[in-house]
Amino acid sequence: MEIIICPDADSASLSAADQVASLLHSKPTAVLGLATGGTPLALYSEIIRKYQKHQINFSQASSFNLDEYIGLAPGHPASYQSFMQENLFRHINMPAESVHIPDGLAVDVPSHCLAYENSIREAGGIDLQILGIGTDGHIGFNEPTSSLASRTRIKTLTERTRSDNARFFHSMEEVPHHVITMGIGTIMESRAISLLAFGESKARAVADMVEGPITSSVPASILQMHPTVRVFLDEPAAALLSRRDYYRHVFARKPSWQKW
Ligand code: GLP
């Protein structure tokens, strides 16, 4: 894992956006894996800014989102479909047919999940997966004890995750219990992964992910087995890393030929 400790969330988001731009320049048909939540908001704003300045073009690109709540109509303000339209897609030129988000109203969920996996495969696989991390170490909605080989499927949320995400709803009761999420095995097949984590509330999960044992109790710890993971942190999220001085040392001495 490459650990990039930035002075703040905005500079970390800027670096992550530069990486997206550089991918799209070298591969205009890139397939992006996208995440929701508070964490990627500044990244998406920066991507929109780059698009408005004609520095980035999505006309041939496509995307697959990690997850969606079951039972929320696409137009529900807290659905991830609404989140993505509002915070990214309505501002950029990715063709609507190239945007993929699991359908929270799918009648036959297992078939829908299988079809989602097939679409990722048919698109050629994900080039760059953007991830956040839950306070319990989840990625996507793969809660602790998820199979590290899991594929896209239904999951039941922990009460901690429901409570963390309740701020996007009017009340805790409104937060769905069930979701569709890409599996950990699905995420691990992405060619490159950028995980962003900001704030003190993520420090424990980040330290467990980077320096702890690989365990399904901390689903993000499996990323230690992926060859191309970049972790963009602000100072508070990096606070519990015991080797953070080493990570800074490595980053400061990164050879100039070593590209993103
Ligand atoms: C949700 C999403 C995750 C996200 C996590 C953290 O559970 N399914 O993809 O990483 O929340 O959210 P936030 O960025 O708001 O802290």
Side-chain angles (χ1 to χ4, degrees), residues 34-41 66-69 80 130-136 138-143 157 161 164-165 167-168 179 181 196-198 201-202:
L34 298 176
T36 50
T39 306
L41 283 174
L66 283 166
D67 44 20
E68 179 60 287
Y69 292 106
Y80 285 166
I130 305 295
L131 292 178
I133 185 169
T135 55
D136 59 2
H138 74 243
I139 46 176
F141 267 134
N142 293 284
E143 296 284 31
L157 296 181
T161 297
D164 282 350
N165 290 356
R167 66 189 194 281
F168 295 108
V179 295
T181 181
L196 289 76
F198 307 135
S201 66
K202 300 296 174 69

Side-chain angles (χ1 to χ4, degrees), residues 136-166:
D136 59 2
H138 74 243
I139 46 176
F141 267 134
N142 293 284
E143 296 284 31
T145 70
S146 287
S147 160
L148 297 178
S150 51
R151 311 302 307 189
T152 303
R153 69 210 183 294
I154 186 170
K155 281 297 288 180
T156 304
L157 296 181
T158 62
E159 287 304 280
R160 181 171 176 184
T161 297
R162 288 186 66 243
S163 130
D164 282 350
N165 290 356

Side-chain angles (χ1 to χ4, degrees), residues 2 7 17-18 52 72-73 85 96 104 119 124 131-132 149 169 184 204 210 215 231 241 243:
E2 185 176 6
D18 285 345
Q52 288 167 345
L72 297 193
Q85 292 304 332
S119 315
L131 292 178
F169 294 80
I184 297 177
R204 183 71 266 152
V210 177
T215 167
V231 180
L241 288 167
R243 294 183 172 83

